């Protein structure tokens, strides 16, 4: 009987350990991984140890195992606490779906390279970015704490990054970038990206189809390069026409990583409303922007629709710290300095949301922006009607798009997609 | 199947599963991407090692291996604590502080 019990304990324990290991491998950030490793890990290892004790059945074995178990149960919480703290302090990135960061402002967080060896390798691969004084402006401005009481800083848009797609949407990006650059007198960088991993992907191939697949991929790559050259040419011509300070860049590789690297030295990032860069297939128009968001590039302006003078901006605030940061970016940088910002609350009406909205209002006023208070709505569909209800805004800013990401994947996909009007730029924060 | 045979079978299966878990964890250990991720993987590897010791004790039929499990469980805590301290100190001293070279 004891043997069967021991066998069951062994099998169950090793199964739990396996689940924990899969969790460590698959969960998205260090904190979630730690949660899988410590809790499930201890239960699994403890169960295996108990199984061994049951199998031996001798008092010595029981004593050893119980002592080991007591040690595990006592030390693991401490170890995991230390681990989590070290991870946070050393700046291990949080998952982009993270809603609340309770340690923000409590622990001193250094987003310095937490893994110097790897980070060094990466920055030597892209020396140009580092030379540009990377990660100064765009990163510094939105991460600043909402300075309600502080005197407004005189920040303005100085450098604009326009990510050019090869297809017709490029003209839209170009138009928006050029008009923004003219308003602020900013320098403008045209970035054309050839997404090599995506182009190399040819899908399932029958046996013997390799040569043909390679030919297909080569053709796609060549065509993409030609269109990119076209897009850059048009970009340059436009910039010359309006006498703008401009720079051209052409990069090939993983598109997301390249845009992320380039975005560091710019105040405003404009991307096309396409499913992917270097691709004109129809699909989710916000996908490129969401991909960048997942990499921590925010806020991202999704350029769409005709270029119009922006008089009204709708800001969707869900009361989160992320949205507050996006709002402070909007207030300090003022990409649309003349526009009236209408704050729309997103979520269940609560005191916290109310406070966040009032704080946002005073922050906007402190920076000399015009501001109005909109209604508070529960979800995406209501939001649409509120936005459509009043005088239509020319730009919609979503304060915490990461917060919308998860529900969007699960249920409200249509809501966020509907929010993206093909005639109106959207800013994802 | 006699109970003893079932136990032997279960021991072999669970050892295999534990090794598989160790393999998965090693993957995470190599991929990182941050030092904290590697640390999590090392911590969990300690637990797997303790469980493997229990399995080894059963395979060898010697309860002495259970003492090894006890030792591994204790040492892995110390290791994790030390590494966490190192990581925190490195962050405190800014980017200049380097983790020991791999």
């Amino acid at each position: 009987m004891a043997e069967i019990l021991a066998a069951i304990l062994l099998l169950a324990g090793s199964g739990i350990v396996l689940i924990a290991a899969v969790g460590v491998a698959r969960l998205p950030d260090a904190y979630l991984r730690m949660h899988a490793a410590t809790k499930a890990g201890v239960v699994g290892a403890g169960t295996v140890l108990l199984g061994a004790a049951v199998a031996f059945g001798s008092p010595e074995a029981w004593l050893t195992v119980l002592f080991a178990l007591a040690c595990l149960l006592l030390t693991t919480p401490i170890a995991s606490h230390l681990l989590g703290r070290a991870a946070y302090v050393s700046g291990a990135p949080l998952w982009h779906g993270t809603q609340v960061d309770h340690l923000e402002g409590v622990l001193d967080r250094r987003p310095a390279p937490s893994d110097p060896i790897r980070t060094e390798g990466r920055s030597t691969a892209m020396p140009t970015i580092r030379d540009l004084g990377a990660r100064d402006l765009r990163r510094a401005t939105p991460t600043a704490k909402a300075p309600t009481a502080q005197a407004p800083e005189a920040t303005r848009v100085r450098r604009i990054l326009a990510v050019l797609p090869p297809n017709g949407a490029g003209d839209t990006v170009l138009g928006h970038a050029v008009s923004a650059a003219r308003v602020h007198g900013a320098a403008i960088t045209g970035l054309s990206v050839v997404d090599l991993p995506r182009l190399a992907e040819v899908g399932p191939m029958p046996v013997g189809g390799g040569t043909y697949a390679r030919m297909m991929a080569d053709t796609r790559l060549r065509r993409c390069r030609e269109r990119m050259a076209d897009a850059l040419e048009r970009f340059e011509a436009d910039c010359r026409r309006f006498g703008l300070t401009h720079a051209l860049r052409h990069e090939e590789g993983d598109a997301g990583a390249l845009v992320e690297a380039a975005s560091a030295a710019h105040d405003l990032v404009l991307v096309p409303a396409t499913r992917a860069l270097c691709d004109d297939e129809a699909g989710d128009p916000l996908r490129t922007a969401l991909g960048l968001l997942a990499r921590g590039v925010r806020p991202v302006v999704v350029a769409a629709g005709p270029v119009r003078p922006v008089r009204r901006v709708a800001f969707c605030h869900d009361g989160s710290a992320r949205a507050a940061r996006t709002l402070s970016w909007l207030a300090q940088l003022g990409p649309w300095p003349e526009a009236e910002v209408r704050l729309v609350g997103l979520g269940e009406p609560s005191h916290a949301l109310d406070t966040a909205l009032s704080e946002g209002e005073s922050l906007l006023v402190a920076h000399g922006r015009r501001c109005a208070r909109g209604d508070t709505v529960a979800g995406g569909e209501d939001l649409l009607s509120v936005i459509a209800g009043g005088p239509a805004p020319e730009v919609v800013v979503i304060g915490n798009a990461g917060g919308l990401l998860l529900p969007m994947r699960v249920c409200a996909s249509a809501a966020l997609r509907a929010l993206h009007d093909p005639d109106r730029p959207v800013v994802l924060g | 199947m006699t109970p003893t045979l079932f136990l032997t079978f279960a021991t072999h299966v669970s050892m295999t599963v534990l090794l598989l878990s160790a393999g998965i964890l090693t993957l995470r250990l190599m991929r990182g991407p941050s030092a904290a991720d590697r640390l999590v993987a090392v911590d969990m590897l300690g637990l797997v090692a303790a469980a493997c010791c229990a399995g080894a004790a059963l395979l060898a039929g010697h309860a002495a291996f259970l003492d090894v499990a006890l030792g591994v469980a204790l040492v892995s805590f110390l290791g994790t604590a030390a590494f966490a301290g190192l990581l925190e100190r490195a962050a405190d001293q800014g980017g200049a502080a380097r983790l020991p070279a791999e």
Side-chain angles (χ1 to χ4, degrees):
Chain A
M1 208 56 229
E3 274 100 346
I4 293 181
L5 180 63
I8 290 171
L9 282 174
L10 281 174
L11 290 177
S14 53
I16 296 171
V17 168
L18 181 65
I19 293 170
V22 171
V24 171
R26 296 277 300 146
L27 287 173
D29 73 11
Y31 312 95
L32 292 168
R33 284 172 198 148
M34 180 202 65
H35 139 95
T38 51
K39 272 167 268 187
V42 168
V43 172
T47 312
V48 171
L49 280 169
L50 272 182
V54 171
F56 283 111
S58 64
E60 296 89 350
W62 270 106
L63 216 60
T64 318
V65 163
L66 286 181
F67 188 49
L69 219 56
C71 285
L72 276 184
L73 289 176
L74 280 177
T75 56
T76 314
I78 303 169
S80 60
H81 180 89
L82 285 172
L83 249 170
R85 191 190 148 86
Y88 191 84
V89 169
S90 69
L94 293 163
W95 180 40
H96 58 79
T98 308
Q99 294 273 344
V100 188
D101 180 0
H102 282 302
L103 287 177
E104 191 174 0
V106 178
L107 277 184
D108 201 9
R109 186 164 157 78
R110 316 271 164 147
S114 56
D115 205 348
I117 298 151
R118 292 296 163 99
T119 329
E120 262 170 11
R122 210 176 300 146
S123 53
T124 43
M126 286 181 294
T128 44
I129 308 303
R130 201 161 53 169
D131 295 345
L132 277 171
R135 295 173 197 275
D136 52 359
L137 277 166
R138 249 199 84 267
R139 291 293 152 87
T141 317
T143 45
K145 276 235 134 199
T148 324
Q150 267 178 20
E153 296 161 39
T155 326
R156 62 188 189 88
V157 181
R158 263 171 285 191
R159 277 174 288 190
I160 298 175
L161 177 71
V163 183
L164 304 170
N167 52 2
D171 294 337
T172 320
V173 174
L174 202 55
H176 281 275
V178 166
S179 83
R182 291 179 70 192
V183 167
H184 296 280
I188 180 168
T189 308
L191 175 68
S192 74
V193 178
V194 173
D195 195 348
L196 288 181
R198 197 184 161 77
L199 286 171
E201 216 174 80
V202 286
M205 266 300 130
V207 176
T211 318
Y212 186 65
R214 221 169 301 131
M215 219 170 75
M216 230 164 68
D218 282 351
T219 312
R220 283 207 297 187
L221 184 61
R222 205 184 51 237
R223 206 173 293 155
C224 186
R225 280 187 182 136
E226 279 166 10
R227 283 150 147 197
M228 280 304 182
D230 261 14
L232 277 176
E233 224 165 77
R234 266 181 298 168
F235 171 80
E236 197 173 15
D238 265 28
C239 288
R240 284 250 168 81
R241 189 144 55 93
F242 293 111
L244 297 169
T245 320
H246 62 275
L248 299 179
R249 276 177 67 180
H250 180 79
E251 304 266 8
E252 303 200 352
D254 181 13
L258 289 171
V259 176
E260 183 194 0
S263 73
H266 293 83
D267 304 318
L268 204 61
V269 181
L270 282 121
V271 301
T274 53
R275 182 161 151 256
L277 294 168
C278 208
D279 202 346
D280 42 11
E281 288 167 47
D284 185 354
L286 291 181
R287 191 143 149 193
T288 307
L290 288 175
L292 286 175
L293 220 60
R295 288 176 169 274
V297 181
R298 52 173 100 208
V300 178
V301 183
V302 182
V307 180
R308 293 175 290 190
V310 177
R311 297 185 207 292
R312 280 172 297 269
V313 174
F315 187 96
C316 309
H317 199 311
D318 63 352
S320 64
R322 175 72 65 195
R325 245 179 260 169
T326 312
L327 187 63
S328 90
W329 167 82
L330 186 71
Q332 286 181 357
L333 199 63
W336 302 282
E338 303 305 321
E340 181 193 63
V341 179
R342 188 147 56 105
L343 286 171
V344 180
L346 189 59
E348 295 302 317
S350 67
H351 181 65
L353 183 55
D354 244 32
T355 321
L357 285 174
S358 324
E359 264 174 21
E361 220 171 342
S362 49
L363 180 69
L364 283 168
V365 172
H367 282 86
R369 319 277 175 216
R370 287 190 299 137
C371 172
R373 185 75 170 268
D375 300 335
T376 294
V377 294
E381 275 86 1
D382 299 337
L383 186 64
L384 270 184
S385 62
V386 165
I387 289 172
E394 279 88 15
V395 176
V396 175
V397 185
I398 299 172
N400 181 10
L404 280 178
L405 262 184
L406 193 64
M408 187 194 78
R409 287 276 151 75
V410 180
C411 56
S413 164
L416 189 60
R417 216 171 293 161
L419 210 58
H420 174 74
D421 189 326
D423 286 337
R424 182 166 53 205
V426 177
V427 183
L428 301 180
Chain B
M1 191 184 278
T2 61
T4 320
L5 198 62
F6 182 47
L7 178 60
T8 318
F9 170 72
T11 312
H12 279 102
V13 170
S14 71
M15 279 300 264
T16 315
V17 172
L18 285 173
L19 280 181
L20 184 65
S21 316
I24 296 173
L25 288 169
T26 312
L27 222 64
R28 173 53 68 200
L29 178 63
M30 291 192 302
R31 280 178 53 180
S34 68
D37 292 302
R38 295 173 213 274
L39 193 44
V40 168
V42 169
D43 183 43
M44 172 93 196
L45 273 175
L47 290 174
V48 174
C52 278
C53 289
L58 282 176
L59 287 182
H62 246 294
F65 281 100
L66 287 177
D67 296 330
V68 181
L70 174 62
V72 169
L74 280 173
V75 169
S76 99
F77 165 65
L78 291 181
T80 307
F83 265 123
L86 173 70
L87 201 58
E88 221 171 301
R89 250 198 338 275
D92 267 349
Q93 290 160 14
R98 292 273 177 264
L99 294 178
E102 274 167 1

